[in-house]
Amino acid sequence: MTDGQPPPERLAEVSRLANQLAERVLSDHMAERPIPDGHIHALAKASQLLAEYGQEVSSLLAPIMDQIRARTAGEGEARERADGTQDEQ
């Protein structure tokens, strides 16, 4: 009977794949190529899963998640400004 925790080899595979995807996202970001939302969601879920089970999260994920938060905040502010401008017209 298991304790509900995934086998260590499965968590290691999640970590390996998350690291590969993080490298790809970082490369795309640096080349100013668009990053699919699915990649961002996958990294966030993998990071959360690994942290939940006490596994090390790739050091690449922290700066990527920071950049995503900054981009998202900037997009939200731009939308608010556009909405405010439209209301005034």
Side-chain angles (χ1 to χ4, degrees), residues 8-83:
E9 62 273 6
R10 300 290 300 259
L11 291 173
E13 182 69 359
V14 169
S15 180
R16 184 184 72 77
L17 292 171
N19 194 52
Q20 284 182 338
L21 185 55
E23 288 174 355
R24 184 175 185 179
V25 166
L26 187 58
S27 175
D28 286 348
H29 176 74
M30 292 176 76
E32 296 184 5
R33 289 188 294 259
I35 300 167
D37 288 342
H39 290 180
I40 303 306
H41 293 289
L43 286 175
K45 286 181 180 182
S47 178
Q48 183 180 8
L49 177 75
L50 292 169
E52 183 178 320
Y53 287 106
Q55 301 297 307
E56 186 174 328
V57 176
S58 171
S59 60
L60 287 176
L61 285 178
I64 290 171
M65 297 310 287
D66 289 345
Q67 290 175 5
I68 292 165
R69 284 186 204 100
R71 183 181 74 183
T72 302
E75 289 171 356
E77 290 173 4
R79 261 193 306 274
E80 287 176 7
R81 283 193 301 274
D83 289 345

